[in-house]
Amino acid sequence: MTTITTPASANAHSHAFHRMLRGRTHGAGGSFWTWRDLMYRVAAALDPDLYRELAEAVFAEMLVSGYTAVGEFHYVHHRPDGSPYEDPNAMGRALAEAAESVGIRLTLLDTCYLASAPGVALLPEQARFGDGTVTAWQERWQALAPLASGLVTIGAAIHSVRAVSPHDIAAVAEALPEGVPLHIHLSEQPAENEQSLAAFGRTPTGVLATAGALSPRLSVVHATHLTSDDIALLGAAEVTVVMCPTTEADLGDGIGPARELVDAGATIAIGSDQHVVIDPYLEVRGLEAGERMRSLARGRFSPAELDAARSSGGFRSVGVVEHEGDTVVLDVASVRTAGAAPDQLASAATASDVIEVSVGGRVVARRGVLADGRDPAAMLSTAIAQLSSRLEGATR
């Protein structure tokens, strides 16, 4: 036997347009906050047509890498000056159409984003992210319903406790229908915790608890800098914690307490976030590697736990219940996988070993290209060239 069929992977945290930053941010050094400046420039250059083209390419790259579902944390809503498009959900529609075009499951996590910091208005470069009030966001979110399809699920997100007040977090959590996935960035940076403590007298997790937002449908993304009380609260609420090890390493975020969170009752999922690489096997290896570096011990997660983080944990996070027909055929005789135990392939394989990908029992990708023959590399090259030209024109 030279191949094995395994459950597909689920990418529980993505910002599709961040793919533009891969290989362009390392020379300058700096921090998450300086990296963010370039991210804002890319966001400002997008329009619905270009976003659809870029997202198609990014979603295609995910498919050929073994991801069959993606939670797209979507906050680029309006024109760069903050005025709405004729269709207020034109950008979300572009993402939904991109997912349907390539055949990936998409949970569109439309994001409430109202402030740049507690009590501080959005910056000019953030204007297109905001709806002004939580009520206006809710009205636009409700208008997303027609985008739902066999592949597209409508979810919701709160950007962070920096960007949405405790009162408005409570309003979002209370108004969302039962079963709708809800995501939030949580304690990615120490500065976020410091701002939360200064403004609200609580950690970001404490803010969520007081607002009534902690529940099994909630996914908290990163959860890197937590107190022991935070861990206990998240575990007791049975939240999903979406860790993005390749992004957290790239941005210098730190290593989150994954083992402690699982032991407290949380579920772990993975995400590619800013897409410094799109490879579910590297994410779960990064998860285990981080734990080993923190603890100075091996085997912090069993092979079965790593596979669950790669697959079932992510599907839970994005609200995809029926995914038994989502499978990946792996090459078990490559230079990477030869000799690996079948139950430990996640510790040896990479996305390069993905031979075939199926969604709902239908083959959507084979040997690095989509089933219809489209090549993600060519798609990415075209989209990135157009976006690069737009960025260069904006700086002249």
Side-chain angles (χ1 to χ4, degrees):
M1 180 182 68
T2 59
T3 65
I4 190 171
T5 300
T6 71
S9 302
N11 187 347
H13 189 66
S14 162
H15 300 291
F17 75 93
H18 289 194
R19 173 62 180 80
M20 180 65 187
L21 302 176
R22 184 188 296 177
R24 293 172 176 244
T25 64
H26 301 283
S31 67
F32 166 85
W33 305 100
T34 54
W35 168 91
R36 193 176 69 158
D37 293 337
L38 179 57
M39 181 268 286
Y40 285 156
R41 286 184 53 216
V42 174
L46 295 170
D47 61 29
D49 290 339
L50 184 51
Y51 203 12
R52 172 177 170 159
E53 185 170 3
L54 178 62
E56 278 187 2
V58 176
F59 293 159
E61 183 181 2
M62 290 181 193
L63 270 182
V64 301
S65 301
Y67 287 118
T68 61
V70 55
E72 181 63 28
F73 201 106
H74 167 54
Y75 54 80
V76 186
H77 300 307
H78 306 299
R79 293 186 175 94
D81 65 359
S83 62
Y85 290 100
E86 185 175 349
D87 171 3
N89 284 311
M91 296 294 268
R93 184 178 300 277
L95 290 166
E97 291 175 350
E100 291 179 326
S101 171
V102 302
I104 197 170
R105 300 184 193 273
L106 169 71
T107 298
L108 183 63
L109 299 164
D110 192 273
T111 304
C112 184
Y113 197 143
L114 303 176
S116 63
V120 181
L122 291 173
L123 302 172
E125 56 266 34
Q126 299 169 323
R128 71 183 313 181
F129 305 161
D131 291 290
T133 67
V134 69
T135 300
W137 173 81
Q138 288 169 331
E139 291 173 352
R140 189 179 52 73
W141 183 86
Q142 290 167 353
L144 288 166
L147 297 183
S149 68
L151 286 175
V152 178
T153 298
I154 304 303
I158 296 161
H159 182 271
S160 60
V161 302
R162 292 185 291 111
V164 183
S165 71
H167 177 269
D168 287 341
I169 289 172
V172 171
E174 182 177 352
L176 282 181
E178 185 177 353
V180 173
L182 177 62
H183 288 219
I184 185 170
H185 293 124
L186 185 76
S187 293
E188 180 178 5
Q189 294 285 326
E192 177 185 329
N193 291 353
E194 292 163 6
Q195 288 179 349
S196 181
L197 287 166
F200 313 123
R202 298 179 179 86
T203 65
T205 299
V207 170
L208 296 182
T210 302
L214 295 182
S215 75
R217 75 156 169 198
L218 181 69
S219 291
V220 298
V221 183
H222 303 303
T224 307
H225 303 282
L226 302 178
T227 67
S228 57
D229 287 344
D230 292 338
I231 294 170
L233 285 168
L234 295 169
E238 299 180 349
V239 306
T240 299
V241 179
V242 184
M243 293 194 158
C244 309
T246 62
T247 288
E248 289 146 9
D250 181 68
L251 296 180
D253 287 343
I255 299 170
R259 182 71 258 174
E260 291 93 327
L261 284 160
V262 171
D263 291 343
T267 296
I268 297 292
I270 57 165
S272 62
D273 193 359
Q274 59 133 335
H275 316 307
V276 65
V277 66
I278 294 179
D279 189 322
Y281 307 101
L282 295 185
E283 297 296 347
V284 294
R285 286 216 282 286
L287 179 66
E288 171 66 13
E291 277 296 308
R292 293 183 183 191
M293 287 187 282
R294 287 180 62 241
S295 66
L296 307 182
R298 301 183 79 247
R300 295 283 284 171
F301 288 105
S302 69
E305 287 176 314
L306 293 177
D307 265 338
R310 177 186 62 78
S311 186
S312 60
F315 285 113
R316 176 187 194 260
S317 174
V318 300
V320 176
V321 177
E322 297 183 5
H323 52 83
E324 290 77 10
D326 289 20
T327 58
V328 166
V329 177
L330 279 178
D331 183 351
V332 296
S334 76
V335 293
R336 291 163 295 278
T337 59
D343 68 341
Q344 296 185 41
L345 281 168
S347 298
T350 71
S352 298
D353 298 307
V354 172
I355 294 175
E356 185 176 278
V357 182
S358 295
V359 175
R362 182 174 68 89
V363 175
V364 293
R366 284 193 182 94
R367 297 188 181 278
V369 299
L370 299 183
D372 61 11
R374 283 181 290 173
D375 182 352
M379 296 167 71
L380 284 162
S381 293
T382 300
I384 290 171
Q386 291 189 52
L387 192 46
S388 294
S389 177
R390 191 167 294 182
L391 285 169
E392 290 168 4
T395 59
R396 291 192 184 116

